[in-house]
């Protein structure tokens, strides 16, 4: 169980490009040394070496912060288009702070516009031994002009509105059907539902950047403030199928079901769903069944519930050898459930193969031990059924494609085209597609459902927006931008 940022210091903008993202290491004193892949937790930096971000690995990479660190955030669905591939991009978020004093906490409703980027080739068009430096300079110039053409200025514009929140925000989620409605879990033990429509409308109509100092705090009452949980919690999820239906779980093992009675009122079940022996860490509604949801717990188990069958789980099983921190239900392949544990492992299960008999349980179709520290977030891609992203306390965000297999011929061809030795570790899982670094104490990540290939992550030192260049869905078509 790894969640809260204790006594956080106010986030500061990192003005250095070094140690920001990437996965490459080079010596600043010997610039002619070949680029080398650096493995977190395995390799050590020698004297005179420093990490540098390889920007060629990204179609887009931007960092920003809204003041205090945010343990949780959510991407707000907008009306700008369902599948957007052309730069510049605009995105909307809600996020909850972890301030030093309880009275300083807010929910931030914000818009980031003018997110620039570029289309990149996975393999250089041409490279020769004699003019590599010249080619690099020319490439940089071409990329800058391409940014100006497709992305405008390289600086994104942040617009922010703040609503006062009692206590730190453990988790926040926006409703899919009505994205201006958000639910927040507070460390005071209250679950609250908010209507942020006025703030989102104001952001949509404004183009002016708002600084931290200029952003006033609104004292807005929530639509609902529920105090029926016996402890604080982190687990909460809106149903993707039934508008307004919600579940919330606490650190005392209780789960409450919320049923909407109108657009602004809910009936919260007084009798909780109980099936775990310890804290409920995460909740996920089924993408295909209205009455079914999943939960995971510190008791190392995952449970599947059907609200028509009473207050006990339909099936429960041991999922990991340590606390199960997070789960994600695949919305493109609804039989697949991913889970991440406190021991750094994550697993993929085929729910059709579940069995109450642990010795006969053959539901685990993939299990990874790449991360060595607790998994803090896991989420399936909304555009690729075989892809998912994982964040860990080892300060890595990793992207995986379960359909990938090791291909020796393809690797040899790639080396020949680039005319250089690819110093990649030989023991990495072939399904590991991308490693993003540079953030400290990563907490949560989300894919943008309307911008293929875009990921957003939050950490103790702020947010990153990234679009890796080797995710094919991020590349516009030949006729596009």
């Amino acid at each position: 169980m790894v969640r809260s940022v204790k006594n956080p210091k106010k986030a500061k903008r990192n003005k250095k490009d070094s140690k920001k993202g990437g996965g490459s290491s080079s010596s600043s004193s010997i610039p002619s040394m070949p680029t080398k892949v650096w493995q977190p937790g395995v390799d050590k930096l020698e004297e005179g070496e420093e990490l540098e971000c390889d920007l060629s690995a990204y179609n887009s990479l931007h960092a920003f912060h809204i003041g205090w660190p945010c343990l949780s955030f959510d991407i707000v669905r907008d009306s700008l288009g369902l599948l957007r591939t052309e730069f510049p991009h605009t995105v909307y978020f809600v996020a909850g702070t972890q301030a030093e004093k309880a009275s300083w906490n807010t929910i931030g409703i914000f818009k980031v516009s003018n997110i620039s980027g570029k289309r990149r080739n996975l393999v250089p068009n041409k490279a020769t031994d004699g003019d590599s430096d010249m080619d690099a300079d020319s490439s940089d110039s071409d990329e800058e002009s391409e940014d100006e053409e497709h992305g405008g200025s390289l600086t994104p514009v942040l617009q922010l509105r703040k609503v006062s929140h009692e206590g730190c925000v453990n988790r926040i989620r926006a409703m899919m059907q009505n994205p201006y409605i958000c639910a927040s879990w507070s460390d005071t033990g209250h679950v609250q539902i908010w209507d942020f429509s006025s703030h989102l409308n104001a952001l949509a109509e404004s183009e002016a950047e708002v600084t931290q100092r200029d952003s006033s705090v609104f004292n807005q009452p929530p639509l609902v403030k529920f105090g029926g949980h016996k402890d604080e919690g982190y687990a909460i999820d809106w149903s993707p199928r039934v508008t307004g239906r919600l579940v919330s779980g606490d650190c005392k093992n209780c789960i409450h079901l919320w049923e909407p009675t109108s657009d602004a009122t809910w009936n919260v079940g007084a009798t909780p769903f109980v099936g775990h022996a310890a804290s409920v860490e995460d909740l996920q509604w089924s993408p295909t069944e209205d009455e079914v949801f999943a939960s995971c717990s510190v008791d190392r188990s995952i449970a599947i519930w059907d609200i028509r069958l009473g207050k006990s789980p339909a099936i429960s099983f041991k999922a990991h050898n340590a606390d199960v921190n997070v789960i994600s239900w695949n919305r493109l392949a609804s039989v697949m459930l991913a889970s991440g544990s406190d021991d750094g492992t994550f697993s993929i299960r085929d729910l059709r193969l579940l069995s109450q008999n642990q010795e006969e349980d053959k539901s685990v179709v993939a299990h990874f031990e790449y991360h060595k520290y607790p998994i803090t977030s896991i989420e399936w891609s909304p555009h690729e059924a075989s892809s998912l992203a994982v964040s860990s306390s080892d300060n890595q965000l990793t992207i995986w494609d379960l359909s990938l297999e090791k291909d020796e011929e393809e690797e040899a061809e790639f080396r020949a085209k680039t005319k250089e030795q690819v110093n990649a570790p030989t023991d990495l899982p072939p399904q590991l597609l991308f490693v993003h670094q540079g953030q400290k104490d990563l907490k949560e990540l989300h894919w943008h459902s309307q911008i293929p290939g875009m990921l957003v992550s939050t950490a103790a030192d702020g947010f990153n927006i990234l679009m890796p260049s080797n995710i094919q869905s991020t590349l516009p078509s030949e006729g596009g931008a």
Side-chain angles (χ1 to χ4, degrees):
M1 180 194 328
V2 173
R3 298 176 298 217
S4 58
V5 180
K6 299 297 183 182
N7 298 320
K9 295 181 179 180
K10 198 164 187 179
K12 295 182 179 179
R13 192 181 305 275
N14 185 352
K15 297 181 180 179
K16 297 182 179 179
D17 286 336
S18 63
K19 299 185 180 180
K20 180 57 66 178
S24 63
S25 174
S26 62
S27 170
S28 58
S29 60
I30 312 176
S32 61
M33 287 182 64
T35 299
K36 170 185 166 184
V37 175
W38 187 76
Q39 301 178 82
V42 177
D43 298 330
K44 295 182 179 180
L45 292 178
E46 302 296 338
E47 185 176 355
E49 287 186 324
E50 65 177 12
L51 294 180
E52 291 184 354
C53 173
D54 182 3
L55 290 177
S56 67
Y58 298 86
N59 282 343
S60 183
L61 176 61
H62 299 283
F64 64 97
H65 66 88
I66 63 168
W68 294 104
C70 297
L71 179 70
S72 181
F73 77 102
D74 205 3
I75 297 172
V76 178
R77 290 177 64 89
D78 56 54
S79 58
L80 300 177
L82 294 179
L83 292 174
R84 311 202 291 270
T85 59
E86 296 186 10
F87 292 107
H89 288 301
T90 296
V91 293
Y92 292 84
F93 304 97
V94 288
T97 63
Q98 297 275 309
E100 186 175 344
K101 294 184 178 180
S103 60
W104 294 354
N105 281 291
T106 61
I107 293 176
I109 306 100
F110 52 105
K111 168 186 174 183
V112 183
S113 56
N114 203 38
I115 299 171
S116 59
K118 55 181 71 72
R119 175 174 180 159
R120 297 181 183 274
N121 294 320
L122 298 182
V123 178
N125 291 328
K126 56 181 179 180
T128 59
D129 296 334
D131 58 357
S132 59
D133 291 340
M134 184 179 297
D135 285 345
D137 292 340
S138 174
S139 175
D140 289 342
S141 176
D142 292 343
E143 288 169 358
E144 288 175 5
S145 63
E146 190 174 340
D147 276 329
E148 293 176 1
E149 179 182 354
H150 297 307
S153 168
L154 293 175
T155 305
V157 176
L158 172 65
Q159 297 166 253
L160 172 66
R161 293 171 73 89
K162 297 178 180 179
V163 172
S164 179
H165 187 274
E166 181 184 352
C168 293
V169 179
N170 290 346
R171 194 155 292 174
I172 188 167
R173 291 291 183 265
M175 188 193 302
M176 180 184 297
Q177 300 89 344
N178 298 319
Y180 53 88
I181 300 294
C182 298
S184 67
W185 241 126
S186 173
D187 66 359
T188 63
H190 295 95
V191 179
Q192 299 173 87
I193 296 182
W194 308 81
D195 182 345
F196 293 141
S197 56
S198 62
H199 303 289
L200 290 166
N201 289 335
L203 291 172
E205 295 171 359
S206 172
E207 298 296 334
E209 184 169 9
V210 178
T211 65
Q212 295 294 325
R213 294 178 180 177
D214 295 337
S215 180
S216 58
V217 177
F218 295 88
N219 290 313
Q220 173 183 330
L223 295 175
V224 179
K225 183 177 181 180
F226 176 67
H229 282 284
K230 297 180 180 179
D231 196 359
E232 66 174 308
Y234 294 80
I236 197 166
D237 194 40
W238 292 103
S239 169
R241 296 179 55 83
V242 180
T243 301
R245 180 173 282 175
L246 182 76
V247 278
S248 57
D250 60 38
C251 295
K252 288 286 189 184
N253 82 346
C254 295
I255 300 170
H256 286 272
L257 173 66
W258 300 54
E259 293 284 14
T261 53
S262 72
D263 290 340
T265 58
W266 280 260
N267 178 32
V268 187
T271 303
F273 292 75
V274 178
H276 289 292
S279 172
V280 179
E281 298 291 278
D282 203 4
L283 289 160
Q284 285 274 282
W285 282 100
S286 166
T288 57
E289 298 182 71
D290 295 355
E291 294 84 9
V292 176
F293 68 89
S295 62
C296 66
S297 171
V298 167
D299 67 10
R300 306 181 179 186
S301 74
I302 291 175
I304 308 295
W305 310 72
D306 188 325
I307 62 176
R308 298 166 296 187
L309 302 180
K311 304 295 184 178
S312 299
I315 187 171
S316 180
F317 53 92
K318 180 183 176 183
H320 289 271
N321 292 323
D323 304 1
V324 188
N325 294 334
V326 285
I327 52 177
S328 179
W329 208 318
N330 194 327
R331 295 186 178 181
L332 298 180
S334 61
V335 298
M336 296 297 173
L337 185 74
S339 58
S341 175
D342 224 36
D343 61 10
T345 65
F346 67 95
S347 300
I348 313 299
R349 277 184 163 77
D350 185 333
L351 298 178
R352 296 171 297 184
L353 305 177
L354 280 178
S355 171
Q356 290 281 17
N357 188 335
Q358 291 293 311
E359 296 180 357
E360 298 179 359
D361 184 14
K362 300 178 181 179
S363 64
V364 178
V365 295
H367 180 75
F368 297 95
E369 299 181 356
Y370 170 82
H371 291 283
K372 306 305 179 186
Y373 291 86
I375 304 299
T376 58
S377 189
I378 191 167
E379 188 169 286
W380 289 100
S381 166
H383 299 107
E384 302 290 340
S386 62
S387 297
L388 74 163
V390 179
S391 68
S392 169
S393 295
D394 61 10
N395 300 328
Q396 295 184 78
L397 185 160
T398 54
I399 302 174
W400 303 75
D401 187 340
L402 303 184
S403 68
L404 294 179
E405 297 180 358
K406 194 173 184 65
D407 190 324
E408 300 288 353
E409 292 183 4
E410 188 176 88
E411 289 185 5
E413 182 181 354
F414 181 84
R415 291 191 182 96
K417 285 184 178 180
T418 57
K419 295 185 179 180
E420 66 179 3
Q421 176 67 33
V422 179
N423 295 302
T426 57
D427 58 345
L428 291 179
Q431 295 83 11
L432 179 57
L433 190 64
F434 195 86
V435 177
H436 172 70
Q437 300 174 67
Q439 291 179 276
K440 295 180 180 179
D441 201 10
L442 273 159
K443 290 301 182 184
E444 194 169 278
L445 64 86
H446 295 296
W447 296 89
H448 200 298
S449 64
Q450 297 169 269
I451 305 177
M454 177 180 282
L455 277 157
V456 184
S457 55
T458 186
D461 54 358
F463 293 84
N464 275 188
I465 297 175
L466 58 143
M467 299 179 73
S469 61
N470 64 339
I471 297 181
Q472 294 295 329
S473 60
T474 67
L475 300 177
S477 62
E478 291 296 332

